[in-house]
Amino acid sequence: VQLVESGGGSVQAGGSLRLSCAAPGVTYSMYCMAWFREGPGKEREGVASIDGDGTTTYADSVKGRFTISIDNNKNILLLQMNDLRPGDTAVYYCAADRFCTGGYNYWGQGTQVTVSS
C-alpha cells in the first residue's frame, strides 16, 4: 500500500489548507485511516481518524477546525484545516490501518505545513 500526501504549504494564522492523501488500491471501507503530525521538537501525534463506516475522531486541539473525510469519487483521504494556528506547524502524515487495531501499518512520506503569526 502506497500513500502519497499533498497540499501542504505556508499560510498565515487564520488561513486554511486542504491536505490530500492518495492511496491507490485501498478500499477505504476496509481500512481505518488517519492523519498524524510531528511538529518541531515534538513527538508524532494523532490529529484525526476515520474508520470504515465513516466514524471520525479528532484531537482536542483541532476539534472544530479540522475535518477528515474521504472523497470516494477520487478515492482520496482529505484533511480540511481551517483557522490554522502557529502551533499547527508540523509535518503531516497520512496512515492506514488494515485491521483497525490502532497499529497503523502504512505511512505516507509526509507534507510540511507551516503557519506564521
Side-chain angles (χ1 to χ4, degrees):
V1 174
Q2 184 179 13
L3 305 178
V4 181
E5 302 98 335
S6 61
S10 298
V11 295
Q12 291 189 325
S16 298
L17 284 173
R18 188 174 73 169
L19 304 183
S20 299
C21 175
V26 169
T27 301
Y28 286 110
S29 61
M30 299 176 66
Y31 284 76
C32 287
M33 303 295 297
W35 288 96
F36 288 78
R37 68 185 181 186
E38 188 170 331
K42 299 179 182 179
E43 293 185 355
R44 188 172 295 186
E45 63 174 346
V47 174
S49 67
I50 185 167
D51 64 17
D53 66 5
T55 300
T56 57
T57 62
Y58 296 92
D60 287 343
S61 59
V62 307
K63 281 181 181 176
R65 300 188 297 123
F66 290 12
T67 303
I68 188 171
S69 63
I70 293 171
D71 184 330
N72 288 302
N73 289 331
K74 298 181 179 178
N75 202 44
I76 57 174
L77 177 71
L78 300 170
L79 184 68
Q80 178 66 43
M81 305 186 295
N82 298 327
D83 190 23
L84 283 161
R85 304 168 181 171
D88 296 318
T89 295
V91 178
Y92 284 72
Y93 300 88
C94 68
D97 178 359
R98 175 63 179 87
F99 300 106
C100 296
T101 61
Y104 288 88
N105 319 89
Y106 306 101
W107 293 82
Q109 82 289 349
T111 185
Q112 176 71 47
V113 171
T114 301
V115 185
S116 59
S117 58

